[in-house]
Amino acid sequence: MFTQLHPQTQTTALGLGTEGLVFGCDYNPEQWTYDTWVEDVALMREAGVNLVAINIFGWSHIEPSPGQYRFDDLDTIIDLLHSQGIGVNLGTGTASPPPWLTTRYPEALPQAADVTTRWPGGRQAYCPSSPVFRDLALRLVRATAERYGDHPAVRLWHVSNELGCHNALCYCDQSAAAFRRWLENRYGAIESLNAAWGTAFWSQRYSTWSEIQPPRTTLSFTNPMQTIDFHRFSSDEQLAQYRAEAEVVRQASSIPVTTNFMVTAHIENLDYWSWADDMDVIANDHYLDHRLDRPHVELSLAADTTRGLAQGEPWLLMEHSTSAVNWQPRNLAKKPGEMVRNTLTHIARGADGVCFFQWRASVKGSEKFHSALMPHAGTQSRVWDESVRLGALVGRLGELKGSRIVADVALVFSWENRWAADLDAHPTSDFSYLDQVHRLYGALWDLGITVDVVAPGAPLDGYSLVVVPSLYLVRDSEAEVVDSFVAQGGTALVTFFSGIVDETDGVRPGGYPGAFRRMLGVRADEFSPLAEGRVVALSDGSTGSLWSEPLELHGAETVTSYADGPLAGHPAVTTNRHGQGHAWYVSTVLEPASLATLVDSVATSAGVTRSRRVDPAHDTTTDSGTGHDVEIVRRTSGDQDWVFVLNHTDEAIAHDIEGYDLVTETALSGRVELAAGGTHVIRQNRKAS
Ligand code: GAL
């Protein structure tokens, strides 16, 4: 019988039956003929593909009418892949219901906040709380798991696909009923809900559970706790679908089970901290977002967050793209070398496998202009050539499988806080939690500091520095972890709008920043957000934007103060000795250069190690020779290190390095050049050096 591999008990290397790293892709054979399958499987071998995700959107193909299963095509493709030694990442097939299902049971369709129906014709058009959807999905999963549960080709079960990507929030009557059950379970008594939701306000008191609705479109601001709890509920509903499918799979199969997360810049409806323990392998999908200033830095943050979800264990990149996607307003092709750098960033930050969406570019449907390993142009193409070279490189990197990343810095990140902190009716609509996270993470990235992303309340032992960007909603117990980390000698860097409310979105009285006041040794009696576009001068000659506070010192010292406006003379940035450690507070949005200077000095005083040292003011290098936008990350195992050097700039750089480069397959020593956009993965033996 299958034993669940929780992160604590996982073996050090991602299993999945491959010798080295996973190099894989999604494949949608339903879109092609048998002859193409045969050709594809041969080409997959040429590209070094060793794991193929199939049956992700297979439902209408394998169950063309209710209860009538047609597994012959799936049998054939699985056997074909197996015959070439390629493993299968087998979808449970439930990602998108077939048209017969929602025609027969229209109540299974999801509804938006204004209770209008979202119709079939796209994908994932089902209500996550629909009992009929759940029953029919589990019937399909049972049939599939019983058929392939011990097939030697199957290495991994892929439950559904990106659960909640489109249907995370459903407001229909079935969802309303499920929401009420969830609330009853959480609060027990209606009066506890009334207290938590603050329904004394605006005549919102509930007498019975049946009066409660999801936060459907209202005339005015909606009760914030109704919205926050609806997010919590919705994340749990999606997880419940995963659990139900995984349980059925596990009754028939001992192969690991997972689903693909969406840890990425814009999708924030699921609290993956509460999902991670249910996964046998943590898997993520990540697409570069060319709308961002520095998409590769966001990619690093996503990868570090995924490693956090895996508690430092190796994880799997289940999807990314070889080149353009199809869903951004302007779908930029990746530049030569960009796919390789993206892939290496994921591996550098803990992935023991990288897969692509998808193998062969569709010729029909809304994803026909999405890139693939095999583009429309076929093998006579840049993308194919780069993909084959990448497959060979990933093959060579097999030796680092199971190695780890060691970080001195923890960054506290919370999806729950994203739901709460960005709500309306707050001090300024210009605030975005993710923006603040990105700013702090970006400053650390620029300094070459590797960061572990951790959940609020996660143990901080072993770190030198904890960074807490705008953690508006925080439980007392979670704030206490940061407090005692500092008291015992650690360093914390906290930014504005932190510690304000508890888990019921109730403001902590007595002044801001609430839960962190004592640790930070400061107090503000109000917020003073800035008018649109306004900046405020600071005593070090720089400026702050978005936010300010009439901060008073209660034990802390001023690092920088406000130099103009109504708050002139008040501290803006402070540091406080708390127990054996230090706690820094930033009460405004610093401009990037001064944030970099601050983070640099906080990290230096905390004794944080870094892969390189950059002078933030001049954007030049003082140690190893590399500059801004050069990413250096180290994976380590025993006496062996692998140093990833990824040049995201358009210029060649020179840096000092010793070791064997697995990219160019040459020994490097002393000052070496790395081409514009180029990469090194350098094996070093720590004993020898
Ligand atoms: C993912 C999804 C894939 C494909 C891809 C396109 O969100 O899982 O099925 O749609 O996006 O970028």
Side-chain angles (χ1 to χ4, degrees):
M1 197 45 214
F2 183 72
T3 326
Q4 190 169 342
L5 299 174
H6 283 293
Q8 304 87 287
T9 55
Q10 258 178 8
T11 49
T12 51
L14 198 70
L16 310 186
T18 53
E19 258 183 35
L21 302 184
V22 168
F23 187 64
C25 56
D26 272 33
Y27 186 41
N28 293 297
E30 306 85 20
Q31 298 175 16
W32 311 102
T33 61
Y34 177 79
D35 290 347
T36 310
W37 300 354
V38 174
E39 183 191 333
D40 280 345
V41 170
L43 287 164
M44 283 172 186
R45 270 192 71 92
E46 190 180 325
V49 167
N50 54 22
L51 187 74
V52 174
I54 51 173
N55 197 38
I56 308 299
F57 294 99
W59 195 341
S60 70
H61 196 79
I62 58 179
E63 191 182 0
S65 53
Q68 302 299 311
Y69 296 110
R70 240 191 59 190
F71 283 115
D72 44 341
D73 281 348
L74 206 48
D75 290 350
T76 308
I77 189 72
I78 291 178
D79 288 343
L80 252 179
L81 289 163
H82 187 50
S83 71
Q84 295 303 309
I86 298 173
V88 170
N89 173 11
L90 188 56
T92 55
T94 57
S96 209
W100 61 253
L101 191 156
T102 45
T103 305
R104 273 197 172 194
Y105 307 102
E107 71 275 21
L109 288 169
Q111 290 183 344
D114 61 357
V115 210
T116 52
T117 298
R118 292 297 174 262
W119 297 96
R123 67 175 171 186
Q124 219 175 52
Y126 66 87
C127 160
S129 303
S130 160
V132 70
F133 174 83
R134 176 72 57 84
D135 284 354
L136 294 172
L138 295 187
R139 187 174 73 177
L140 173 72
V141 176
R142 191 164 297 111
T144 312
E146 281 170 359
R147 190 170 188 93
Y148 302 109
D150 54 11
H151 193 294
V154 180
R155 308 274 166 78
L156 184 62
W157 284 99
H158 181 306
V159 168
S160 190
N161 187 61
E162 294 190 341
L163 283 156
C165 177
H166 309 284
N167 69 349
L169 307 176
C170 174
Y171 298 78
C172 76
D173 285 342
Q174 290 177 114
S175 293
F179 184 39
R180 287 180 205 117
R181 287 194 294 276
W182 183 92
L183 289 168
E184 218 175 323
N185 194 34
R186 184 177 177 91
Y187 292 106
I190 195 77
E191 285 314 333
S192 308
L193 175 134
N194 279 316
W197 284 24
T199 57
F201 176 80
W202 277 359
S203 183
Q204 290 174 349
R205 192 183 161 279
Y206 295 100
S207 318
T208 67
W209 300 102
S210 60
E211 294 163 3
I212 301 172
Q213 297 292 347
R216 291 174 173 161
T217 309
T218 46
L219 288 169
S220 64
F221 296 122
T222 308
N223 181 312
M225 261 302 278
Q226 188 179 356
T227 303
I228 295 168
D229 268 350
F230 188 64
H231 273 286
R232 290 172 172 146
F233 153 78
S234 299
S235 176
D236 286 356
E237 281 299 88
Q238 296 287 342
L239 176 58
Q241 178 70 27
Y242 172 82
R243 284 185 174 154
E245 292 195 30
E247 192 188 326
V248 170
V249 168
R250 285 176 179 140
Q251 283 160 9
S253 178
S254 58
I255 294 158
V257 187
T258 192
T259 190
N260 41 351
F261 290 175
M262 298 166 286
V263 177
T264 184
H266 301 295
I267 302 184
E268 308 121 15
N269 281 321
L270 305 164
D271 179 3
Y272 288 128
W273 294 125
S274 66
W275 287 49
D277 271 358
D278 279 277
M279 308 295 135
D280 294 331
V281 168
I282 295 292
N284 193 43
D285 293 354
H286 185 273
Y287 290 91
L288 213 57
D289 191 335
H290 282 112
R291 291 167 289 193
L292 301 171
D293 280 351
R294 293 202 296 163
H296 54 282
V297 179
E298 188 277 329
L299 188 163
S300 300
L301 172 59
D304 287 342
T305 308
T306 309
R307 186 177 72 256
L309 289 161
Q311 296 189 19
E313 297 281 340
W315 53 276
L316 180 65
L317 180 73
M318 196 80 101
E319 290 181 23
H320 72 155
S321 69
T322 55
S323 189
V325 296
N326 64 308
W327 43 263
Q328 290 171 21
R330 288 155 209 91
N331 296 299
L332 305 192
K334 287 189 182 175
K335 294 182 190 151
E338 200 172 358
M339 165 179 70
V340 176
R341 288 198 306 282
N342 295 164
T343 301
L344 292 181
T345 295
H346 287 294
I347 296 175
R349 294 174 187 276
D352 267 6
V354 285
C355 307
F356 289 90
F357 176 87
Q358 60 178 329
W359 166 256
R360 184 179 276 278
S362 302
V363 291
K364 298 271 188 161
S366 57
E367 288 183 335
K368 59 182 171 298
F369 296 123
H370 193 291
S371 60
L373 288 156
M374 175 64 67
H376 293 152
T379 53
Q380 303 296 309
S381 59
R382 174 184 72 85
V383 165
W384 171 256
D385 289 346
E386 271 195 50
S387 302
V388 172
R389 282 202 300 277
L390 178 64
L393 171 59
V394 172
R396 292 198 290 282
L397 298 184
E399 63 177 56
L400 57 74
K401 182 173 178 167
S403 60
R404 301 306 174 88
I405 289 85
V406 181
D408 280 351
V409 179
L411 183 146
V412 178
F413 176 75
S414 160
W415 280 280
E416 197 182 34
N417 184 53
R418 155 78 180 86
W419 306 331
D422 286 2
L423 279 175
D424 48 16
H426 275 194
T428 171
S429 59
D430 296 335
F431 174 84
S432 144
Y433 171 55
L434 286 185
D435 191 34
Q436 299 310 315
V437 171
H438 282 263
R439 279 169 189 272
L440 267 177
Y441 180 84
L444 291 156
W445 194 99
D446 285 344
L447 290 162
I449 294 173
T450 305
V451 171
D452 279 349
V453 178
V454 302
L460 297 170
D461 320 292
Y463 294 110
S464 311
L465 170 65
V466 59
V467 174
V468 185
S470 301
L471 193 63
Y472 160 81
L473 183 151
V474 61
R475 289 165 181 77
D476 290 345
S477 58
E478 294 163 352
E480 180 50 37
V481 173
V482 180
D483 190 295
S484 56
F485 164 76
V486 174
Q488 286 161 30
T491 299
L493 174 63
V494 180
T495 65
F496 69 95
F497 211 34
S498 284
I500 308 303
V501 299
D502 63 14
E503 64 269 40
T504 68
D505 198 43
V507 174
R508 291 191 171 86
Y512 311 128
F516 296 114
R517 228 167 42 219
R518 196 174 65 99
M519 176 186 84
L520 294 167
V522 293
R523 177 176 181 273
D525 59 1
E526 63 179 336
F527 301 129
S528 191
L530 302 177
E532 192 179 1
R534 266 293 311 273
V535 295
V536 60
L538 301 176
S539 56
D540 64 358
S542 68
T543 57
S545 60
L546 192 126
W547 196 275
S548 64
E549 288 171 4
L551 213 55
E552 283 164 12
L553 302 176
H554 286 258
E557 288 166 29
T558 301
V559 177
T560 316
S561 48
Y562 293 104
D564 70 3
L567 301 188
H570 281 278
V573 178
T574 58
T575 181
N576 186 41
R577 172 121 197 142
H578 179 65
Q580 304 301 304
H582 291 90
W584 300 67
Y585 183 58
V586 184
S587 69
T588 185
V589 176
L590 298 175
E591 51 186 64
S594 58
L595 181 64
T597 307
L598 177 73
V599 172
D600 191 21
S601 76
V602 173
T604 304
S605 70
V608 168
T609 55
R610 53 192 89 194
S611 52
R612 66 192 167 90
R613 190 173 162 72
V614 177
D615 174 352
H618 301 100
D619 197 22
T620 55
T621 303
T622 53
D623 275 351
S624 69
T626 63
H628 201 62
D629 256 354
V630 177
E631 183 177 0
I632 305 185
V633 189
R634 185 177 294 264
R635 281 187 67 153
T636 188
S637 169
D639 292 334
Q640 203 96 331
D641 281 356
W642 292 266
V643 183
F644 288 70
V645 187
L646 313 178
N647 181 2
H648 297 285
T649 76
D650 292 332
E651 285 170 19
I653 55 146
H655 65 123
D656 298 319
I657 198 101
E658 300 292 326
Y660 182 80
D661 180 19
L662 291 156
V663 178
T664 53
E665 299 180 86
T666 49
L668 299 178
S669 177
R671 197 140 190 95
V672 296
E673 193 176 282
L674 179 56
T679 55
H680 285 148
V681 180
I682 295 157
R683 183 203 303 137
Q684 294 181 333
N685 192 322
R686 234 175 302 125
K687 260 193 184 153
S689 55

